[in-house]
Amino acid sequence: MICNLCPHKCFAKRTSDIGNGFCKCGTDMKVAKIAPHYHEEPCISGENGCGAVFFSGCTLKCVYCQNYEISNENNGKPITPLELANKLKELENIGVHTIEFVSATQYVDKLIEALSIYKPDVPIIYNCGGYESIETLKKLKGYIDVYLPDFKYSDDELAFRLSGCKNYRDTATNAISEMLSQCPTLIFDENGIIQKGVIIRHLVLPNHTKNSIGVLSIINKHFKDRVLLSLMGQYIPYGKAHLFDDINRKITKREYNKVLDELIALDIDGFAQELEAADKSYIPTWEY
């Protein structure tokens, strides 16, 4: 297979178990964990949790990723579309409110195959880094109920230095526009669980409040009143963050409040995380 699923367009040669592209993934899906997850936004986790599927590999290589062992090092266990379909059915049967696919872009074709075998009746959430190609997103139309992209950077130089991607700002803006064309309206059930729509996440990085305020400006200009914004303060230096002096610490309360004040001033609806979430105890234990 020659792969151009993500904006890197690296024309990667991918066999079943390995590839020579940016993500280094093969075509066969690998997962690190499939289980109920309780620490997402309230409208996603509810009381019973979401059924989270953490895929191995990623189309971004964020040096600070809290899932570094699986996103950058590609640790995980192979799973077939049929096996995944059966796991989704198990999650649905134990009562999760939603099903969430975390970093699945590199396996989109196999993911669609699994959902063609069995698509749960609960909302399907696509959790991604925001660095997505329009062509790949169009493949997902009709399979995804809720898009949950990050909008990490307004500063393209910072994006390249910390995540290894070019032209992040415009790529994420265009990708979220496509997501909104598929899921244009925020819809919730009687218990406040999201059924349709787009939620944008943004993680505040230490020493980079200007980047965060730039992200809020883009969201306000292009997407306000059509999305929810989840402002995240959970950053801890993880992965290879210790090699980068500017991000080798948690964010301060002053930094977070500076971004939060801008969010309030722009009157963008959504969620603001407590800084107490910046703790390693919230990082999943991988089961492979």
Side-chain angles (χ1 to χ4, degrees):
M1 172 187 175
I2 302 299
C3 179
N4 282 311
L5 284 172
C6 79
H8 292 290
K9 301 293 182 186
C10 47
F11 291 91
K13 294 181 180 179
R14 296 175 66 183
T15 63
S16 60
D17 59 347
I18 197 170
N20 67 354
F22 182 86
C23 70
K24 306 299 182 186
C25 294
T27 56
D28 288 351
M29 292 184 292
K30 288 173 65 178
V31 296
K33 187 170 188 175
I34 301 176
H37 189 51
Y38 300 92
H39 303 305
E40 305 292 56
E41 289 75 6
C43 64
I44 292 175
S45 293
E47 293 184 0
N48 299 337
C50 69
V53 182
F54 291 90
F55 288 91
S56 304
C58 187
T59 57
L60 294 173
K61 295 300 180 187
C62 303
V63 297
Y64 52 83
C65 182
Q66 292 186 359
N67 299 345
Y68 194 89
E69 293 91 340
I70 67 171
S71 64
N72 283 257
E73 297 176 351
N74 292 13
N75 292 317
K77 179 180 178 181
I79 190 170
T80 68
L82 178 58
E83 288 170 336
L84 178 56
N86 289 332
K87 287 293 185 181
L88 299 182
K89 190 178 296 185
E90 289 177 15
L91 289 169
E92 183 182 25
N93 287 340
I94 64 175
V96 297
H97 296 291
T98 58
I99 298 288
E100 180 184 8
F101 298 127
V102 184
S103 298
T105 301
Q106 61 276 15
Y107 303 119
V108 155
D109 293 330
K110 292 294 178 71
L111 178 63
I112 290 172
E113 189 177 337
L115 289 172
S116 297
I117 296 171
Y118 183 74
K119 186 176 187 297
D121 288 332
V122 298
I124 303 297
I125 299 176
Y126 193 77
N127 178 339
C128 65
Y131 196 64
E132 304 291 322
S133 76
I134 303 300
E135 297 80 6
T136 298
L137 288 172
K138 285 182 175 178
K139 290 184 177 185
L140 291 166
K141 186 175 182 179
Y143 292 99
I144 303 302
D145 301 300
V146 178
Y147 282 100
L148 184 62
D150 291 334
F151 203 128
K152 295 178 180 290
Y153 306 105
S154 59
D155 182 339
D156 282 340
E157 291 185 6
L158 187 66
F160 184 73
R161 183 165 68 89
L162 298 184
S163 296
C165 58
K166 297 178 180 179
N167 196 33
Y168 180 92
R169 179 181 59 200
D170 288 346
T171 301
T173 301
N174 293 334
I176 293 170
S177 294
E178 171 59 28
M179 295 172 192
L180 278 165
S181 76
Q182 296 181 25
C183 303
T185 305
L186 288 160
I187 300 174
F188 302 85
D189 69 8
E190 64 277 8
N191 297 312
I193 302 298
I194 191 166
Q195 305 296 297
K196 295 282 186 180
V198 176
I199 301 174
I200 300 175
R201 285 177 168 174
H202 176 69
L203 176 67
V204 181
L205 299 175
N207 286 307
H208 293 293
T209 56
K210 184 178 178 180
N211 173 69
S212 293
I213 290 171
V215 168
L216 297 185
S217 177
I218 293 168
I219 293 171
N220 183 62
K221 178 180 178 180
H222 295 284
F223 309 123
K224 187 178 180 180
D225 300 328
R226 295 191 290 158
V227 303
L228 294 177
L229 175 65
S230 182
L231 188 67
M232 305 177 76
Q234 69 184 39
Y235 179 85
I236 55 174
Y238 204 75
K240 292 186 176 180
H242 64 282
L243 300 176
F244 297 79
D245 289 342
D246 55 324
I247 60 169
N248 190 25
R249 62 167 173 81
K250 295 181 179 182
I251 64 171
T252 64
K253 185 175 181 179
R254 182 167 181 255
E255 286 173 323
Y256 190 60
N257 284 343
K258 183 177 181 180
V259 180
L260 183 58
D261 287 346
E262 182 69 12
L263 175 67
I264 293 169
L266 292 172
D267 194 27
I268 300 173
D269 197 11
F271 312 92
Q273 194 176 46
E274 299 290 340
L275 284 181
E276 287 73 14
D279 192 286
K280 287 185 178 181
S281 65
Y282 289 99
I283 299 174
T285 301
W286 308 119
E287 297 173 350
Y288 305 139

